Amino acid sequence: MKLPVIFDTDCISSFLWIKRLDIINTLFPNKIIIPQSVYDELNKIKSPQYRFVFNDLYSQILKGNFKLKNIMISGR
């Protein structure tokens, strides 16, 4: 059984900034989970010059390559 791969903001944005999502899509096909908090954070990018970072993430979610999940973190 292969477990899903959950990306935090720093990790996924590294691939988004250089436009190389093909690397992680090849390594982890249909296994990538994007937490809602990561999605929300990247959606705060307002500069038109850098908006591609969120837009590319959003595109991967729409295509079904990434799954958006609400992940709750417990203090226990």
Side-chain angles (χ1 to χ4, degrees):
M1 177 175 111
K2 291 190 178 189
L3 297 175
V5 179
I6 300 172
F7 278 87
D8 68 5
T9 304
D10 288 336
C11 188
I12 194 66
S13 65
S14 296
F15 291 96
L16 288 161
W17 281 108
I18 63 169
K19 295 186 163 282
R20 289 304 309 265
L21 295 176
D22 59 301
I23 295 169
I24 57 175
N25 279 327
T26 299
L27 291 173
F28 311 110
N30 300 312
K31 298 288 183 204
I32 300 168
I33 303 292
I34 303 297
Q36 183 68 49
S37 60
V38 170
Y39 178 90
D40 294 343
E41 186 173 350
L42 292 175
N43 193 20
K44 291 179 183 177
I45 299 172
K46 299 299 180 195
S47 171
Q49 181 178 351
Y50 303 118
R51 189 67 183 162
F52 74 89
V53 172
F54 173 76
N55 291 340
D56 289 351
L57 174 67
Y58 183 67
S59 175
Q60 292 297 307
I61 293 168
L62 287 179
K63 290 178 185 177
N65 294 331
F66 298 177
K67 291 183 176 73
L68 184 62
K69 298 277 185 175
N70 192 14
I71 299 174
M72 302 302 292
I73 299 173
S74 173
R76 294 181 184 196

